[in-house]
Amino acid sequence: MTNTSALFTDFYSLTMAQGYWKNNRQERAVFEMFFRHQPYGGGYSMFAGLGTLLEKLNHLSFSSDDINYLEGLDVFEKGFTDYLKTFRFNGTLWAMDEGTVVFPHEPLIRVEGNLIECQIIEGLLLNIVNFQSLIATKTCRLWLASKKGKIMEFGLRRAQGPDGAISASRASFIGGACGTSNAAAGKIFGIPVMGTMAHSWIMSFDDEEKAFDAYAALYPDRSIFLIDTYDTLKTGIKNAIKSGKKLALQGKNFGVRLDSGDIQYLSAEVRKQLDMAGLTDAYITVSNDLDEHIIETLVKEGAPVDSWGVGTRMVTGGQASAFTGVYKMAAILSENSRKPVMKFSDNPDKTTNPGVKQVWRIRDKSGSAIADVLGIDDDTDIPKEGQRYCFWHPSSDYRHFYHTIEGSAEPLLKKRIDCGSFTGVQPPLPEIKAHAASDLDSFDSTYKRLLNPHVYKISVTEKLRSLKLELIQKHLGSRHN
């Protein structure tokens, strides 16, 4: 992979970095990436983008052209741009496993490093993780709405630029898509590539049946006929049946695709005609601006659809334009101490949780997830099996619940980079996809429904709550002095 330009950051990260450099700020800090709200009004999200982020951090630097550009802005001193010439990310990074089901306010990624490197990577980190997590979450919703059916990602032409299309293909595969129409993503990530034909193929022939026959001659083992170019029921399916019978004589199967009209009615009528023709193994795939609500309705109504091609409303995020991930400082480190810091706000939702934290997933005896708990990352705040705890709402109010841990308490944040050195090999994409599917299965269906999902418990330990209240009291006291 070629080097990633460290210039891919917000301009204020560079102006602040120069300030840290100019004032000889040698402190190390801890930043955390978390998100504030579930997209789509849903009950869960899917963490994605970690593999892309780690790969880019491993090749992060300022090129000579980058340095020349910065020097031409008349904002940065020569000494600072000389410092940037040798910049590399030498920090330490913890993150959840990619493909983990995640919830608001819990750290998905934790970064420790000097102030400059922590600041410079902010934009890159948020850009990658926010977008891929949004698309993976959307695809999960589509996949579950189809009853874990065959969902194909057809979004290349509607994605936000080439990189957006590549990232969307990767994220959608994690979220449940079985393949992509994006040939470049297939090459890069090993995702199965899929596709049928365009209306232009059929229109280039004088006769619809000839168009289908020509395609079948080229691809007898993967023929899917697009049947809505002229008239789905009067000509399209009839010509597809003629071509399909010729394939059947060769021992080959085929499919038909619907890309317009009333999918429920047309798929039922097409199924009838295929079955009456003795082509009971022929399959039906549909597209046409599908989303999870349309798919769920079609499935509930028994539409005989075997696979779903989803483009625009998968790779653009649909109704949610962005994932609400943010990157905030949680602590300042010195040689012998960790000084917790927090952002205060009149909006409780924007008040952060202080300190260096770990996230624990509490499971019951059967392995089902019942709560995620944020605690201070030290030996004194680890939830232990068999112990009874009081867990508090992260807003530091009165809401709490008591729980005796009968199953496991799994730490979710794991070290991925240690002082600039990668600690292990990233799992291949199919393994991440399998983890995502398995993790989804560990949550009750009420958290995953599209309408009014049950709210999963995100809590803090008594120690973290006490620390937060202590800092709030200090802040209030300083305001009154």
Side-chain angles (χ1 to χ4, degrees):
M1 178 179 175
T2 58
N3 281 358
T4 301
S5 173
L7 204 60
F8 190 78
T9 190
D10 290 302
F11 187 64
Y12 77 175
S13 293
L14 295 168
T15 57
M16 285 188 289
Q18 179 169 245
Y20 294 139
W21 170 82
K22 182 74 172 177
N23 290 284
N24 197 28
R25 296 289 301 276
Q26 300 294 327
E27 303 100 316
R28 295 177 67 79
V30 174
F31 283 73
E32 293 173 345
M33 184 267 172
F34 60 92
F35 68 105
R36 291 186 170 127
H37 305 289
Q38 297 285 19
Y40 315 109
Y44 68 93
S45 289
M46 177 61 65
F47 175 46
L50 177 63
T52 305
L53 174 65
L54 294 180
E55 187 175 24
K56 288 186 178 295
L57 288 177
N58 194 32
H59 298 86
L60 193 67
S61 65
F62 290 92
S63 69
S64 57
D65 283 345
D66 294 338
I67 298 299
N68 290 338
Y69 167 74
L70 292 175
E71 290 177 342
L73 296 176
D74 293 327
V75 174
F76 302 103
E77 296 184 15
K78 183 67 164 56
F80 177 63
T81 57
D82 285 343
Y83 166 83
L84 294 181
K85 289 177 181 179
T86 59
F87 174 84
R88 297 292 185 275
F89 179 71
N90 292 312
T92 299
L93 185 145
W94 290 258
M96 295 186 183
D97 288 333
E98 193 168 10
T100 294
V101 176
V102 293
F103 301 91
H105 303 293
E106 57 187 24
L108 312 184
I109 297 174
R110 193 176 86 210
V111 178
E112 177 186 325
N114 66 54
L115 287 165
I116 292 177
E117 63 188 343
C118 286
Q119 202 69 69
I120 284 177
I121 71 167
E122 175 182 9
L124 179 71
L125 185 153
L126 290 176
N127 175 272
I128 293 170
V129 174
N130 278 340
F131 180 68
Q132 291 201 32
S133 295
L134 180 72
I135 303 308
T137 302
K138 183 67 169 181
T139 309
C140 283
R141 292 167 61 82
L142 291 157
W143 183 56
L144 293 180
S146 73
K147 301 295 184 184
K148 299 184 179 179
K150 188 176 181 181
I151 300 286
M152 299 172 286
E153 180 265 303
F154 285 174
L156 181 147
R157 64 190 63 185
R158 300 289 173 83
Q160 281 81 2
D163 182 67
I166 294 291
S167 295
S169 295
R170 182 184 188 278
S172 64
F173 188 68
I174 291 171
C178 62
T180 179
S181 67
N182 188 336
K187 175 187 175 185
I188 294 168
F189 303 119
I191 301 172
V193 288
M194 299 175 173
T196 56
M197 60 176 64
H199 295 102
S200 56
W201 171 267
I202 297 160
M203 293 161 65
S204 71
F205 289 82
D206 293 333
D207 178 86
E208 194 173 33
E209 184 182 352
K210 289 179 181 178
F212 293 159
D213 285 345
Y215 201 85
L218 281 169
Y219 310 109
D221 295 310
R222 50 187 306 166
S223 289
I224 302 176
F225 304 133
L226 181 59
I227 61 175
D228 70 337
T229 303
Y230 302 117
D231 189 305
T232 300
L233 298 181
K234 289 183 179 179
T235 62
I237 184 58
K238 297 185 185 306
N239 285 318
I241 286 172
K242 292 176 184 177
S243 296
K245 285 183 173 180
K246 297 169 193 174
L247 282 171
L249 292 175
Q250 304 172 45
K252 308 291 185 182
N253 195 23
F254 73 104
V256 297
R257 175 180 160 214
L258 297 167
D259 190 45
S260 60
D262 186 324
I263 297 298
Q264 182 180 335
Y265 168 73
L266 290 174
S267 63
E269 291 300 311
V270 165
R271 184 74 267 163
K272 286 180 187 177
Q273 293 198 37
L274 288 169
D275 291 349
M276 288 174 60
L279 300 170
T280 55
D281 290 335
Y283 50 91
I284 300 172
T285 185
V286 302
S287 44
N288 189 29
D289 286 333
L290 299 171
D291 66 15
E292 62 267 44
H293 300 285
I294 295 171
I295 291 175
E296 183 179 59
T297 298
L298 290 170
V299 169
K300 285 181 177 179
E301 294 297 324
V305 175
D306 299 291
S307 60
W308 314 81
V310 188
T312 304
R313 298 184 186 181
M314 179 188 292
V315 303
T316 65
Q319 292 179 333
S321 59
F323 198 71
T324 57
V326 294
Y327 181 78
K328 300 297 181 184
M329 185 185 290
I332 294 288
L333 307 180
S334 63
E335 190 172 336
N336 298 312
S337 68
R338 297 172 166 181
K339 178 186 175 183
V341 298
M342 64 182 288
K343 177 183 183 293
F344 295 86
S345 174
D346 291 334
N347 180 355
D349 194 49
K350 288 197 170 186
T351 299
T352 61
N353 292 300
V356 182
K357 296 179 287 297
Q358 176 60 274
V359 183
W360 302 88
R361 180 151 294 168
I362 309 299
R363 301 185 185 274
D364 62 18
K365 290 181 179 179
S366 69
S368 295
I370 56 174
D372 283 9
V373 177
L374 283 63
I376 301 299
D377 190 16
D378 63 27
D379 293 338
T380 67
D381 207 25
I382 300 175
K384 296 181 176 62
E385 186 176 349
Q387 298 294 311
R388 180 174 171 83
Y389 295 94
C390 179
F391 296 129
W392 293 85
H393 192 278
S395 293
S396 296
D397 60 21
Y398 62 91
R399 288 171 286 180
H400 62 281
F401 72 100
Y402 289 92
H403 179 71
T404 300
I405 299 178
E406 297 178 337
S408 65
E410 175 192 359
L412 298 184
L413 291 172
K414 303 171 186 177
K415 189 178 288 187
R416 314 292 175 170
I417 305 175
D418 189 4
C419 298
S421 298
F422 286 71
T423 58
V425 178
Q426 274 296 104
L429 207 56
E431 190 174 317
I432 297 172
K433 178 184 177 73
H435 169 66
S438 174
D439 209 33
L440 278 168
D441 283 345
S442 72
F443 287 83
D444 189 81
S445 61
T446 57
Y447 300 120
K448 296 177 283 189
R449 63 190 177 212
L450 296 181
L451 184 63
N452 296 324
H454 191 55
V455 178
Y456 183 73
K457 285 185 173 66
I458 303 298
S459 304
V460 299
T461 62
E462 288 201 67
K463 184 172 181 178
L464 178 54
R465 179 175 184 265
S466 296
L467 173 61
K468 187 172 184 177
L469 290 173
E470 178 186 339
L471 292 182
I472 291 173
Q473 289 300 319
K474 284 183 179 179
H475 173 67
L476 293 174
S478 65
R479 288 174 60 184
H480 292 139
N481 289 336

